[in-house]
Amino acid sequence: MNPIAFAIPVFFLLIAFELWVAHSRGVSVYRLKDSLTSINIGIMSEFSKAIGGVVSVIMYALIADRFGAFVWDVRHPMTWVSALLLYDFCYYWVHRTGHEINILWASHVVHHSSEEFNLSTALRQSSTGFLFRWIFYIPLALLGYPVQVFVVVGLIDFLYQYWVHTQLVGKLGWLEYVVVTPSNHRVHHGQNDYCIDKNYGGIFSFWDRMFGTYADERDDDKPVYGIRKPLGSWNPLWANVHHYVQIGRQVKTARSWRHRLMHVFAKPSWTPEKEDATEAFRAETFSRFDTPETGRLRALAFFATATGAVLLVAFFLLQKGLPQPARVAYCVAAVLALTAVGAWMTRSRMQAPQPLSQGPSHA
Ligand SMILES: [Zn+2]
Ligand SMILES: [Zn+2]
């Protein structure tokens, strides 16, 4: 049984709790279509991992069995502590390269595509990350950590990161020096100049201090969430592929092989004209993406996402008894249905758009 099945009700309960706390404080940190899109992206990610993620576990197990240098006692606490520390160190590099190498950013960009920041944002996970992320964890396999240790510490690292996606927890004193917190992760999701390429840690923030990528949240320059090239869509499939499509277009029109390679492997801010074409951020010109909606659209979109979550849990329960073609067909059908819902939400034109305030909704 996939442990995410047990985590899903907890995720939703904590979202309800965050909504309640925000309401009682009189602040608004959620927008329905944004959150439903985040959840739809999370559901799509789990379906894609159910099919493709097995590859990473198999590859890890093969390398650990064949080349693992040491034998680790899984009953010894130090096995788990050292594995978690090493996993988080590797995660730092997965995450850093996910921002600093264009083709890897194409996968990770989906996590940053929300212009809100709340617990639902944590669920905006990539559907393509399973293709390459396992490569970064080969050092653990070479050290011989058993595959079950790799899977469990990976799950701990993933689940830890859920709670740091909130605007309702302030700075946490000395903890900011040691672990990833809501405050230093808000910086990671900001598009302000001081936030770009900062705070890559998964559980521990000291990696960022060691490698010079740490930035504290500034009270005089609050993070404005989102990406410099906005997604402009509620479609979870487009959120996952839009940057790959852009790279494909750039490669197709590039004038030389050097440029083609740079479009794929250089920093996302690289252009043929400039090594770093990042422009200064201007909060006053930023406005969040929105589309018209009615009560009916909101109700239908909510119902569609709830159905998607139920179908995912049903899949986790049923998948062991299903033959592989049926599993693949179930996942493909779910991905297509989520895509249709997202496309419908984005294109729906039912009433005039409502003007939005600029910047974070609680500011
Ligand atoms: Zn990131
Ligand atoms: Zn995040």
Side-chain angles (χ1 to χ4, degrees), residues 149-170:
V149 173
F150 167 66
V151 170
V152 172
V153 295
L155 190 67
I156 293 169
D157 217 274
F158 172 71
L159 293 177
Y160 175 84
Q161 293 176 42
Y162 185 67
W163 83 282
V164 301
H165 293 84
T166 181
Q167 299 182 54
L168 303 182
V169 176

Side-chain angles (χ1 to χ4, degrees), residues 91 95-96 98-99 105 108-109 111-112 185 188-189 198-200:
Y91 176 86
H95 197 182
R96 184 166 175 173
H99 279 258
W105 173 240
H108 182 57
V109 65
H111 181 61
H112 290 268
H185 200 61
H188 181 66
H189 278 259
K198 293 293 188 295
N199 300 0
Y200 295 120

